[in-house]
Amino acid sequence: MKRSRETAASELFAALYPRLAGWCRRLVDDDETAHEIASEAFTRLWARWSRVEEPRGFLYVTAANLVRDHWRGLERERRAMRRARTEAALDSRTEPADPSVRLLVQSLPERLRVPILLHYYADMPIREVSALTGRKEGTVKADLHAARELLRVHLRRSLDHSL
């Protein structure tokens, strides 16, 4: 039993780790952080191995949560740096909005962000996103539409401000 568990886990790791790490890399824009997140997702899967019915989905949802935590940490750092720069600067100029799609996706509410990450960044079909999030396919489609509209508005605003 233990041998087959280890073999199954090893095969799953070999099959999914490169793609999961690549997906994380696109989201965090850093190789080392991406590998840390992917490794942590596998560590958490291993700890719950016997209770997880869909390992691939568990890995991607766990990695998405870890990416979100990473983004939150980066945002805290950015806010601290902005405060420090603002306090040090005599003028009170505001920074232009960053039109980066990654930052815009990060700013979406979780209800909209998770389907975007799973569908567009992990290349999961709507049916699979629906199963992983526990939402009906129509709801996932509506959430994806709403997220795209929010991103479009934010991106348009960001580009207008940079002109």
Side-chain angles (χ1 to χ4, degrees), residues 71-139:
W71 284 346
R72 284 180 179 160
L74 289 177
E75 185 55 34
R76 283 190 297 271
E77 288 176 22
R78 280 189 206 103
R79 280 195 305 264
M81 290 301 293
R82 273 195 297 263
R83 272 194 306 271
R85 281 194 305 263
T86 301
E87 291 171 3
L90 296 175
D91 63 309
S92 61
R93 293 182 308 179
T94 58
E95 294 182 38
D98 185 346
S100 162
V101 173
R102 184 172 50 100
L103 291 175
L104 293 175
V105 169
Q106 176 185 346
S107 72
L108 290 171
E110 185 172 357
R111 176 182 67 83
L112 302 177
R113 184 178 55 247
V114 170
I116 287 283
L117 291 174
L118 294 176
H119 183 65
Y120 291 108
Y121 288 86
D123 297 323
M124 290 186 185
I126 289 181
R127 182 180 324 110
E128 195 169 344
V129 174
S130 171
L132 289 173
T133 60
R135 299 178 195 155
K136 294 181 180 178
E137 286 184 36
T139 303

Side-chain angles (χ1 to χ4, degrees), residues 3-45:
R3 183 83 164 135
S4 64
R5 177 181 179 232
E6 289 177 5
T7 301
S10 178
E11 289 171 358
L12 183 73
F13 183 84
L16 295 181
Y17 183 84
R19 186 170 178 176
L20 181 66
W23 179 69
C24 292
R25 170 67 174 87
R26 288 192 309 268
L27 295 172
V28 300
D29 202 27
D30 178 65
D31 285 334
E32 186 176 335
T33 303
H35 284 285
E36 287 174 11
I37 289 171
S39 296
E40 179 63 20
F42 270 95
T43 299
R44 292 181 184 191
L45 172 63

